[in-house]
Amino acid sequence: MLKIEDLRFSYSRRSAPVLNGVDLELRDGEIGILLGKNGSGKTTLFKNILGIGTPSGGTIRFDGEDLLKLPKRDRARRIAYVPQHIHFGALTVYDSILMGRVSYFGLRAGKEDYDVVDRIMAEMKLESFADRNAENLSGGEKQKIAIARALYKDAPFIILDEPTAALDPIAEAEIYSKFDEIAGNKTAIYISHRLSSCKFCDEIAVFHEGAVIQQGSHAELLADRGGKYYALWNAQAQYYTE
């Protein structure tokens, strides 16, 4: 379970708080999404979870452990991260995915590792790219590789920052249907500006001015006609409803 309570953060003592008492909860195996306009604090929350920046107050707990008190290496073992901007260097697609766990922790790959990578690549339709240079692929294919690498890392908690921004809606739907299937009991949370992706999520958290102002399922939030989510959904609905 991910449980964030009263999390506060400012980039300097003189600046206004970017996170202003964030409360958020996800149960094991749930997929959550953060919504909100640019500058509302979504990416800053991810940075705090990853250990980039020190909150001025509050707690971040995962499976009962206080992530803020863990050494960064121990925290890294519990979290797989898919960034918005991805660079793979000179690695092949296959090796880029393998870095998700084996190379990252200085382990030696065995048959079991290769079998897992093969399975994930097949499920995400990446087999034909295996020997190609990952850096030379399109933005959308890079995002698929980054998600595959995060899944292979096999961390219990996955964070995804705009993971499908370079994909068209059909490819995005395929990714999330596979992601839910492959991720199994892992807890995941991601940022997206496409409300159509909310249908893949168990929990939706709406950010505004550094705090979560609404949290619930799509049906629950849409029933609140005076809420922020209802307004956001109806502003975009013309693009993805029949």
Side-chain angles (χ1 to χ4, degrees), residues 50-106:
L50 292 166
I52 304 170
T54 303
S56 58
T59 58
I60 305 173
R61 295 187 180 276
F62 186 74
D63 287 346
E65 291 184 300
D66 189 342
L67 292 183
L68 299 177
K69 295 181 179 179
L70 287 178
K72 287 188 176 181
R73 190 169 182 84
D74 290 339
R75 191 184 308 194
R77 291 181 182 275
R78 291 160 174 78
I79 302 173
Y81 176 52
V82 179
Q84 187 173 354
H85 303 291
I86 307 155
H87 300 285
F88 295 107
L91 294 174
T92 66
V93 170
Y94 200 94
D95 288 337
S96 296
I97 295 173
L98 200 64
M99 278 195 65
R101 179 160 56 97
V102 172
S103 300
Y104 184 89
F105 292 115

Side-chain angles (χ1 to χ4, degrees), residues 74 132 144 149 151 214 230:
D74 290 339
R132 293 181 60 181
K144 288 183 181 180
R149 182 169 65 181
L151 289 167
Q214 285 182 290
Y230 182 86

Side-chain angles (χ1 to χ4, degrees), residues 125-140:
K125 299 179 180 179
L126 288 168
E127 315 102 297
S128 61
F129 299 102
D131 296 323
R132 293 181 60 181
N133 185 328
E135 194 61 33
N136 294 334
L137 298 179
S138 69

Side-chain angles (χ1 to χ4, degrees), residues 25-44:
E25 188 171 312
L26 284 177
R27 293 181 290 273
D28 291 345
E30 284 191 330
I31 297 177
I33 182 172
L34 301 183
L35 301 175
K37 67 180 182 180
N38 292 336
S40 59
K42 304 182 302 296
T43 296
T44 300

